[in-house]
Amino acid sequence: GSGKGTATSFLERRYGARAFKSSGPLRQILHILNRDITRENMQKLSQVLRENFWQDTIANIAKKEILSEDAKISIIDGARRKSDILPFENEKNFFLIYIDADIKTRYSRIVKRAENGGDNEKTFDQFLTEESSEAESQTKDLRSQAHFVIHNSSNEPEFIESVENIIQQILS
């Protein structure tokens, strides 16, 4: 709901960027297990993987995929905790762009997009409960580590202009 997907789509179209969605492996596992692909199930699965394997399991999957690609710009869409960026921090061309929007804007975008099961029927109170989850609460900690921060509560053209300005800074 903050605009990560919109930024990713723009960068794919404009620059031929390659995107790795952090939820991708979680969605694949839930599909294999024949479980509903909901935000709650992805949060639970992520927690199980991190607690029983390694904190950076999903990030290492992302790094392996990104390194196998020959792209000028690679995107990790959906980093939510420090361990999600840890494998990339020492890469010289790694830039963390933190995208945020106010909570009501994020809620309305998530309900409208209905990417996960039940999103289109989600109440604001349910959304607030999900926002207080362990993963979502850690997301805010990444803001202080970001190279760039975009607050996306405006319209899409202004948001895309902000993304473009950052990419121009990075590429120059």
Side-chain angles (χ1 to χ4, degrees):
S2 63
K4 296 178 304 293
T6 300
T8 297
S9 295
F10 166 72
L11 294 171
E12 287 173 325
R13 285 191 316 273
R14 173 89 161 84
Y15 293 97
R18 305 292 275 187
F20 175 86
K21 197 162 181 143
S22 297
S23 65
L26 301 173
R27 291 172 188 279
Q28 288 176 323
I29 293 168
L30 289 170
H31 177 75
I32 290 166
L33 296 172
N34 197 28
R35 297 289 178 234
D36 291 337
I37 299 173
T38 64
R39 183 180 299 238
E40 180 183 6
N41 283 348
M42 286 189 286
Q43 288 172 343
K44 286 178 185 176
L45 178 58
S46 174
Q47 188 171 354
V48 166
L49 290 172
R50 287 181 295 100
E51 287 176 356
N52 293 287
F53 294 94
W54 303 274
Q55 288 293 315
D56 59 357
T57 297
I58 300 296
N60 282 312
I61 293 170
K63 188 169 185 177
K64 182 179 177 183
E65 282 195 27
I66 287 167
L67 292 176
S68 72
E69 301 276 340
D70 186 31
K72 185 175 183 178
I73 298 174
S74 296
I75 302 163
I76 303 166
D77 179 351
R80 287 187 158 51
R81 48 182 74 72
K82 173 79 171 160
S83 61
D84 293 343
I85 63 168
L86 210 52
F88 301 96
E89 284 187 321
N90 293 325
E91 300 293 327
K92 65 180 176 134
N93 292 323
F94 170 72
F95 297 93
L96 179 60
I97 302 172
Y98 185 93
I99 302 172
D100 195 14
D102 66 75
I103 195 149
K104 291 199 178 212
T105 300
R106 290 195 327 266
Y107 167 71
S108 65
R109 289 174 180 166
I110 284 172
V111 170
K112 182 178 178 184
R113 182 179 62 209
E115 180 180 41
N116 300 316
D119 278 355
N120 60 336
E121 300 165 359
K122 189 170 295 183
T123 67
F124 188 63
D125 285 339
Q126 289 170 319
F127 178 73
L128 288 176
T129 299
E130 289 176 352
E131 284 290 298
S132 66
S133 74
E134 176 263 345
E136 298 305 324
S137 65
Q138 287 191 32
T139 301
K140 292 167 185 56
D141 296 338
L142 292 178
R143 182 184 191 110
S144 64
Q145 299 183 329
H147 299 91
F148 302 94
V149 176
I150 302 173
H151 187 74
N152 178 25
S153 291
S154 62
N155 60 48
E156 189 171 322
E158 288 178 14
F159 172 62
I160 294 300
E161 183 179 338
S162 297
V163 173
E164 176 70 31
N165 289 339
I166 289 170
I167 295 304
Q168 290 304 315
Q169 288 178 55
I170 290 170
L171 295 177
S172 62

